[in-house]
Amino acid sequence: MTTEPHSFPRRHARTQRFTLGAPRSFTVAPDGSRVVFLRSGSGTDRANSLWVLDTEEGGERVAADPRALLGGASEDLSPEERARRERSREGGAGIVGYATDTAVELASFALSGRLFAAELRAGTARELPAPGPVIDPRPSPDGRHVAYVAQGALRVVDAEGEGDRALAEPESENVSYGLAEFIAAEEMGRSRGFWWAPESDRLLMARVDDTPVRRWWIADPAHPEREPQRVPYPAAGTGNAEVRLFVIGLDGLRTEVAWDRARYPYLAHVHWSAAGAPLLLVQARDQRSQLILAVDPDTGATRMVHADEDRTWLDLFPGVPCWSPSGQLVRIADEGGARVLAVGERPLTGAQLHVRAVLDVSAHDVLVSASAGAEAAGDAETGQVHVYRVNELGVERVSQEPGVHAAVRAGEVTVMVSATLNRPGSRVRVLRDGKPTRTVPSYAEDPGMSPRVTLTEGGARRVPCAVLMPRDYDGDTPLPVLMDPYGGPHGQRVVAAHNAHLTSQWFADQGFAVVVADGRGTPGRSPAWEKAVHHDFTLSLDDQVDALEDLAKHHPLDLSRVAIRGWSYGGWLAGLAVLRRPDVFHAGIAGAPVTDWSLYDTHYTERYLGTPAEHPESYAKSSLVTAEGLSSPAEPHRPLMIVHGLADDNVVVAHALRLSSALLAAGRPHEVLPLSGVTHITPQEQVAENLLLLQVDFLKRSLGITTA
């Protein structure tokens, strides 16, 4: 399929959704003199360099250039590094992550499996001799050592490159030290497996044994000469990896950390700072109870600092639990129907805020990310996320303009990243004492289009919605509708940010009224809103229908021609819509859909549906491949396109194949588009571009839309 060389689909794919060239991954020096970040050289350059901004003088310099360090050679990534990037949805190249010492004077990073260190004041980088492939190198807080993982062993080397040695080596091929297991990285937000002591004399180290985890085989049918990849995958109701934790000295002597691992097998979060003993957050398998434990690093003994219970589930939040500088416990909790920030045992926020993450904790306040609480939310606040300062005196909003904001802070310097509806990309400002002093330039390409989007609410439950019309549409003639949701946990799509709506706008410009709806289960409103889908994902579909029918009262929507498309959870939702509500939806595109929830992972699926053995009815109701999943009126049968990457190790292609088999057995029309070599994300430029074009063609054919 050919297209214009500079069409939106081609540019969208080539620029990785217009993210290449944008600065990211910020670290602020404690004295506020430097800001370290990653950025590639242009809007089409995938290779990130490590940069340093002098906040006093305003000048930038490159501290590490991957092309120079590799001498122009191409990168060679190990399977372990590819898996880490897949878990974090990292599509970039070059330096994709780094860590620093406490003073932010030394940075370390892996590049093509080799170990590098950068002197951030001098702006110079060097390679440290190390056996590879190197994963997740991290300097000690004092900058004298670098710890890293290679071939499942946790190793340490002096910052000058001397004395490399293994602290812990795997006893078998199923054991690794210093790495996060699959579900920790995929579902818990824990991508690390080791943590330095503030005194730099020892580390906390995870030992992962995935022997109990079932093995799956992921093959590439397009290359039958290649052996299938054997991967441990903890499907719902099956065994998880065994995770233990040790304190290990630089001499290799280790002490095991003791807690009731049988009752609380999930190691969800680790925090070790100078403000107190190491903190662990451990969860029960059903995620209805969890403990915050303090560790005695000398003996490995733990004591309970706080316990939580919830009759549905307990969520995990970035940045917590942690200690404040004065030694008080900082956490986020669901209390009184709201998501609040608590310091010590005292909630410092109430129903006015829905707290999402802790960004920084100082002696004077806590910096948080939050959206308006359920009582305060409305059309004016739809899709907004702001940064707030919170202390015992009250709450102060730091970000001002309507939009989506995030921040990194140290001392008096804050780096604020802000996206708005009326400006492409994100603007990065350096604030000192709350006042802008510098801007970090972005090299990202301008998309050349601005979404014609209305943020609103629809239905009796006030479902947050985005409605997009063609940019050249000025009439009142009702348009065919394309629902474009994610619609599930952790996936907010209705946001007050320009670039988030670019693909939806492109679909709108093909002649559709596009509706994005964030129903129950999606984040951002209240704990009750997010937990409403407990044991019943199909409520997501109910909210899509209610929002659509309500929006049609106020917008020119042709309800006789309604399609739906989505990816991952959104792909499942699209399949569900066509199969369960053919009276509403006339065509669907299900991308990488979870069709049988018993094939998805433990930590995610069991949180919402329980285990298949204990709650088979929940799985059957939310399945697309059971008899109940296919139950709907015999007619009409609506066209469905199923798209799936054959190399997907998150939602494996078995989901698509089982759905296709069930549809064929039921005599239902459908199309299957297999993507060879594609994982759960589609970074390949040509694949990503043509996938958009093929979807438009399918939608127009299915809805009987003629192209002028």
Side-chain angles (χ1 to χ4, degrees), residues 152-178:
L154 180 64
R155 306 183 66 90
V156 68
V157 62
D158 296 348
E160 299 302 320
E162 302 295 328
D164 182 274
R165 59 200 181 277
L167 298 182
E169 296 184 276
E171 297 84 1
S172 72
E173 64 177 1
N174 295 336
V175 173
S176 66
Y177 286 96

Side-chain angles (χ1 to χ4, degrees), residues 443-497:
Y443 302 153
E445 285 196 7
D446 188 317
M449 61 186 289
S450 294
R452 183 176 173 177
V453 58
T454 300
L455 299 184
T456 184
E457 295 178 338
R461 282 181 287 272
R462 298 168 41 227
V463 173
C465 295
V467 181
L468 298 99
M469 307 300 288
R471 286 174 294 161
D472 60 357
Y473 178 77
D474 293 315
D476 297 322
T477 303
L479 294 175
V481 183
L482 175 61
M483 302 291 287
D484 193 14
Y486 179 80
H490 311 296
Q492 184 176 4
R493 288 266 287 112
V494 180
V495 292

Side-chain angles (χ1 to χ4, degrees), residues 473-613:
Y473 178 77
D474 293 315
D476 297 322
T477 303
L479 294 175
V481 183
L482 175 61
M483 302 291 287
D484 193 14
Y486 179 80
H490 311 296
Q492 184 176 4
R493 288 266 287 112
V494 180
V495 292
H498 180 283
N499 283 25
H501 301 287
L502 290 174
T503 301
S504 295
Q505 183 62 56
W506 180 78
F507 274 100
D509 289 344
Q510 313 310 306
F512 297 92
V514 177
V515 174
V516 182
D518 283 348
R520 285 169 291 177
T522 58
R525 174 166 285 187
S526 71
W529 179 267
E530 296 179 12
K531 295 177 182 180
V533 296
H534 194 220
H535 289 308
D536 188 1
F537 279 152
T538 65
L539 295 181
S540 300
L541 178 58
D542 297 340
D543 288 353
Q544 296 293 314
V545 174
D546 291 348
L548 171 66
E549 293 177 344
D550 185 53
L551 290 173
K553 300 173 185 176
H554 313 286
H555 299 272
L557 309 182
D558 180 359
L559 297 188
S560 69
R561 294 183 295 174
V562 178
I564 183 171
R565 67 181 287 269
W567 195 267
S568 196
Y569 191 98
W572 166 81
L573 187 53
L576 187 77
V578 169
L579 295 174
R580 301 280 180 91
R581 294 301 305 269
D583 56 319
V584 176
F585 298 95
H586 307 95
I589 299 173
V594 180
T595 65
D596 180 350
W597 287 99
S598 68
L599 290 180
Y600 201 58
D601 72 54
T602 52
H603 193 270
Y604 181 99
T605 316
E606 293 173 10
R607 179 190 310 136
Y608 306 116
L609 301 182
T611 64

Side-chain angles (χ1 to χ4, degrees), residues 219-470:
D220 184 355
H223 293 278
E225 74 280 4
R226 297 177 184 172
E227 289 189 1
Q229 182 184 2
R230 184 172 180 259
V231 298
Y233 191 92
T238 69
N240 280 312
E242 180 187 76
V243 180
R244 297 161 64 187
L245 193 66
F246 294 85
V247 179
I248 189 163
L250 296 183
D251 56 4
L253 294 178
R254 68 175 79 172
T255 301
E256 184 164 6
V257 177
W259 78 92
D260 186 353
R261 290 190 296 109
R263 178 72 181 91
Y264 299 97
Y266 288 139
L267 177 64
H269 183 79
V270 177
H271 167 78
W272 200 353
S273 71
L279 283 178
L280 313 180
L281 175 61
V282 295
Q283 277 191 332
R285 177 149 178 172
D286 64 10
Q287 299 172 64
R288 296 182 184 183
S289 61
Q290 64 187 26
L291 302 178
I292 299 174
L293 304 173
V295 180
D296 182 336
D298 294 325
T299 66
T302 57
R303 62 179 175 83
M304 188 179 73
V305 177
H306 185 83
D308 285 305
E309 291 188 357
D310 192 283
R311 62 184 180 85
T312 51
W313 70 74
L314 291 157
D315 277 305
L316 302 173
F317 307 103
V320 287
C322 66
W323 296 118
S324 72
S326 63
Q328 290 185 292
L329 180 67
V330 180
R331 60 190 177 90
I332 296 173
D334 295 347
E335 294 183 3
R339 183 152 295 155
V340 303
L341 172 73
V343 178
E345 291 301 318
R346 179 183 174 186
L348 296 186
T349 61
Q352 80 276 20
L353 287 187
H354 185 73
V355 180
R356 295 165 173 255
V358 166
L359 307 174
D360 182 58
V361 182
S362 74
H364 309 291
D365 59 35
V366 181
L367 199 69
V368 303
S369 169
S371 47
E375 298 304 317
D379 278 11
E381 294 287 336
T382 297
Q384 295 192 43
V385 181
H386 286 281
V387 175
Y388 297 84
R389 292 177 61 243
V390 181
N391 58 28
E392 293 185 351
L393 299 178
V395 176
E396 176 191 358
R397 199 168 94 177
V398 180
S399 51
Q400 295 302 321
E401 59 185 340
V404 177
H405 306 267
V408 176
R409 184 181 71 173
E412 299 175 349
V413 171
T414 301
V415 176
M416 182 76 68
V417 183
S418 302
T420 66
L421 277 175
N422 59 7
R423 186 177 59 236
S426 295
R427 180 174 65 177
V428 179
R429 293 174 298 159
V430 179
L431 314 179
R432 186 178 289 274
D433 294 326
K435 299 176 181 178
T437 60
R438 306 288 177 194
T439 299
V440 182
S442 173
Y443 302 153
E445 285 196 7
D446 188 317
M449 61 186 289
S450 294
R452 183 176 173 177
V453 58
T454 300
L455 299 184
T456 184
E457 295 178 338
R461 282 181 287 272
R462 298 168 41 227
V463 173
C465 295
V467 181
L468 298 99
M469 307 300 288

